[in-house]
Each structure stands twice: as C-alpha cells, then as structure tokens.
Amino acid sequence: QVQLVESGGGLVQAGGSLRLSCAASGSIFSIIRMGWYRQGAGYQRELVATITNSGSTNYADSVKGRFTISRDNAKNTVYLQMNSLKPEDTAVYYCNTITSSSFYWGQGTQVTVSS
C-alpha cells in the first residue's frame, strides 16, 4: 500500500501563488504515476496534472501555463506549483498515485482563491 500526505493549501487572492506538496510512503517502489486532481463544490473530481516516473507530464487545459507539476524522487514527494490563481481554481485538491496493482488518494487539501 501507499500512503499520501498533502500539504500547502490555503487562502490566496486572485493572481497569487501556492505550492502543494504530497509525500508518499509505503510501497513507493510500485508507483508508476503521481498526480493532482481537484473537486470544487458541486462538481465532479477532475484531473489537474500528472507526472510519470520518467518525468512525462500532462495538464488539464484549464491550468496549462499556470500550474507546474514536479517530483523529488529522493524525497518521494510530488509538488504542484500554482501561479496566477483564479477564483475558479477554488477546490479541494487531492494527490493521487497509480501503482502496478492499485491506486491511492490523499486526504485532500483546500485551496480557496478570493476575487
């Protein structure tokens, strides 16, 4: 199993920046891909960004050019740098990982962007 612990959420004004972190522990050797999803109030959970073990990244169109996903393999941590934040980015952000046999979610961290 893999355990994920997120941090870095909070309240920020529109145009500001936040960095989310997600630390993985447990069976980290089996991780294939890590990523971030978000769920706004009344909306379905949606993909924000993913990064594979080889470093390939994928972004939702709504965040391209503003968000950057990265990982520190030595620390087993994935980051989401969020710049030029907009009120519509307000959501609970969840860390996700896919392994060779399953997938796991973190507990979520709230990001609120005020206008």
Side-chain angles (χ1 to χ4, degrees):
Q1 289 194 345
V2 176
Q3 294 77 45
L4 302 172
V5 178
E6 300 124 330
S7 61
L11 173 65
V12 64
Q13 288 188 333
S17 299
L18 282 175
R19 190 177 81 155
L20 305 182
S21 300
C22 174
S25 61
S27 301
I28 56 175
F29 60 89
S30 63
I31 291 176
I32 296 172
R33 190 190 78 179
M34 296 188 74
W36 292 93
Y37 288 70
R38 67 187 181 187
Q39 186 167 14
Y43 292 88
Q44 290 187 330
R45 193 171 298 189
E46 62 176 2
L47 180 146
V48 176
T50 61
I51 185 167
T52 67
N53 284 349
S54 63
S56 296
T57 58
N58 181 50
Y59 295 92
D61 288 342
S62 60
V63 307
K64 282 181 180 177
R66 300 188 298 122
F67 291 9
T68 302
I69 190 170
S70 61
R71 63 191 294 172
D72 184 333
N73 290 329
K75 296 182 178 180
N76 302 315
T77 299
V78 64
Y79 304 97
L80 185 68
Q81 177 66 44
M82 305 185 293
N83 298 329
S84 302
L85 282 161
K86 304 175 181 179
E88 50 264 44
D89 294 318
T90 295
V92 178
Y93 284 70
Y94 296 91
C95 182
N96 166 271
T97 185
I98 295 176
T99 71
S100 55
S101 60
S102 189
F103 61 91
Y104 301 90
W105 294 98
Q107 79 282 2
T109 185
Q110 177 70 46
V111 171
T112 302
V113 184
S114 63
S115 57

